[in-house]
Amino acid sequence: GKWKDTVKSLKAEAKSDTWKVVCVKATSHEIGPPKGKHVRAIVQGLTAGGSISNRWSPTGSIFYHMRKRLQEKSWIVVLKAITVFHHIFRDANENFTSYVARNGRGIFKVNVYGDHEAAAHTPYITSYAQYIDQWCAMKSYINFPPTKASVSTDFGIRFQTMPIEGLFKELPVIMDSINKIFDINISSSTTNSSAVMPSLVMILKDLSYLWESLTEGVAQVVDRFFELEHDTVAPIALELYIRYGKTLKVAEKFFRIAKDHNSHWPMPRLDVISMDLQDSMETYVKNGPQSEQIAAEEYSTESEPEDFGA
């Protein structure tokens, strides 16, 4: 427990292993969130550079020790370690984030079942870890989203001029990440604890930019649908539209629960894309272009701007 953390910190200090001290303190056995000063020190340390494969460089040392903390059996240590990695992925060095996304995804296969105090928290922690693993898959496969350290923008802009092939590649991956968030049991009473709340806040912020990005992308697919080759490209777009509709139904329930747990969360709009177009789309796929025009007012592609801040 706490005394083990103290011993580890003292030994690390004696060896002048600064980053081990910071990582142990950021993920201590003390019930509560990671302390901001320790998280900031880690994020700052990642700007110092050095090879991740070099155990004694600042970057390599942080990765080594944070990875070891994920392997602990204590639920609070593991939860804090995942939370710190989540902070890093949102706020820190883009190169470090990309490296972990490409090469380190397996580290988030956590196991806290050996902690007899973890029963109430285990479902949340394991599903949170699975989401972060999927986030890494998304980052590795489509290099999205950018970290705040590399860019500050409306993430949805990316999809406004993207070729249809790019939308077909990227939107399913974003939906995979959104569905992993939907798998997190945020209705549990544990989400009200001080240890869990910081991670929940970040999850909901992620959900905001992922949903707004998905909405922008699907709007582009709908806007271009009746110009696509009806027998080759349009069927792919139709499949994506149908999947979006299924995701939308889950979102309606999840968003309400999320808002109940965090009243300050600016819930994204769910009514941007019309879900009344499937019959027309299926007819187009089957018969090709028809003489009748699709009324522009059948669907809307405009959305209110959202705050994608930290």
Side-chain angles (χ1 to χ4, degrees), residues 5 26 28 36 47 51 60 82 106 110-111 147 171 192 206 214 222 233 247 274-275 279 301:
D5 289 340
S28 70
T47 66
S51 171
I82 300 170
V110 300
N111 179 11
T147 61
L171 295 181
N192 292 320
D206 285 1
L214 175 64
V222 171
V233 184
T247 304
S274 170
M275 297 314 299
D279 289 345
T301 59

Side-chain angles (χ1 to χ4, degrees), residues 64-257:
Y64 175 82
H65 292 298
M66 287 304 305
R67 182 177 58 185
K68 288 189 69 174
R69 297 304 272 177
L70 284 171
Q71 297 168 355
E72 292 279 337
K73 299 300 181 183
S74 167
W75 71 269
I76 186 61
V77 172
V78 172
L79 174 59
K80 285 184 175 181
I82 300 170
T83 304
V84 171
F85 268 108
H86 198 171
H87 271 290
I88 291 171
F89 293 159
R90 287 174 52 84
D91 299 336
N93 184 286
E94 176 77 18
N95 291 333
F96 178 87
T97 298
S98 296
Y99 176 89
V100 177
R102 292 193 309 270
N103 304 293
R105 286 177 53 200
I107 66 177
F108 296 106
K109 290 176 170 55
V110 300
N111 179 11
V112 293
Y113 292 100
D115 185 351
H116 68 278
E117 298 179 355
H121 297 85
T122 296
Y124 179 84
I125 293 171
T126 54
S127 57
Y128 180 28
Q130 289 166 1
Y131 162 62
I132 294 298
D133 187 72
Q134 169 57 33
W135 190 98
C136 287
M138 174 174 63
K139 182 69 175 176
S140 175
Y141 187 53
I142 64 174
N143 193 27
F144 184 80
T147 61
K148 281 173 50 183
S150 65
V151 67
S152 178
T153 186
D154 177 348
F155 296 148
I157 292 176
R158 172 189 180 108
F159 303 98
Q160 290 179 0
T161 58
M162 181 175 287
I164 197 71
E165 294 80 6
L167 295 171
F168 289 166
K169 174 185 176 181
E170 299 200 4
L171 295 181
V173 180
I174 292 176
M175 277 192 273
D176 288 342
S177 296
I178 289 173
N179 286 325
K180 281 297 181 183
I181 292 179
F182 292 164
D183 288 340
I184 300 174
N185 182 15
I186 65 169
S187 61
S188 169
S189 60
T190 59
T191 54
N192 292 320
S193 73
S194 61
V196 171
M197 188 54 69
S199 62
L200 182 59
V201 169
M202 287 192 293
I203 288 167
L204 294 181
K205 287 180 177 180
D206 285 1
L207 179 56
S208 290
Y209 73 70
L210 287 172
W211 189 263
E212 294 299 330
S213 299
L214 175 64
T215 300
E216 181 61 52
V218 174
Q220 293 299 319
V221 172
V222 171
D223 194 39
R224 306 176 202 176
F225 184 88
F226 296 99
E227 301 171 0
L228 303 174
E229 291 291 335
H230 78 96
D231 55 346
T232 55
V233 184
I236 303 173
L238 174 60
E239 182 179 350
L240 192 150
Y241 177 81
I242 292 173
R243 184 183 175 190
Y244 172 79
K246 294 177 179 178
T247 304
L248 181 64
K249 291 180 180 179
V250 182
E252 291 170 351
K253 179 180 179 181
F254 187 92
F255 281 21
R256 288 195 301 269
I257 297 173

